Amino acid sequence: MSDAKLLAAIERSDTEQLQISISEYKGKSYLNMRIFYTTDDGATWLPTKKGVTFTPDQLDLLEEAIQEARKEFMAE
């Protein structure tokens, strides 16, 4: 897998974060959302098996789900 382009890192705790990135594998691009952890106060972040990968053609569905969630949260 080639170097990933980090789009966002969302802190979950002092030792965990959700990293959202774009990477390439076997010539195809993917959006990855994966939990990373650190054992050295954030100097190094390592991936866990917890995460999901989306192909570019799945992004519209993901975006629609996020918009729907946003509407639900605003209605509360």
Side-chain angles (χ1 to χ4, degrees):
M1 195 171 295
S2 67
D3 289 338
K5 177 182 179 185
L6 184 62
L7 302 177
I10 302 168
E11 188 174 312
R12 292 173 42 103
S13 72
D14 289 343
T15 58
E16 272 191 355
Q17 63 180 216
L18 172 67
Q19 291 189 8
I20 303 170
S21 62
I22 294 176
S23 60
E24 195 176 290
Y25 181 70
K26 293 188 177 181
K28 296 187 179 188
S29 295
Y30 297 93
L31 176 72
N32 295 299
M33 295 184 189
R34 187 151 312 277
I35 301 295
F36 280 68
Y37 71 98
T38 185
T39 57
D40 56 10
D41 294 326
T44 307
W45 289 93
L46 302 168
T48 68
K49 291 182 180 182
K50 299 175 188 174
V52 292
T53 300
F54 298 93
T55 59
D57 62 344
Q58 295 172 315
L59 294 182
D60 285 341
L61 184 58
L62 177 61
E63 185 175 9
E64 288 171 17
I66 290 171
Q67 289 175 357
E68 207 45 50
R70 191 172 285 170
K71 286 180 197 172
E72 289 288 327
F73 293 139
M74 292 178 116
E76 292 178 355

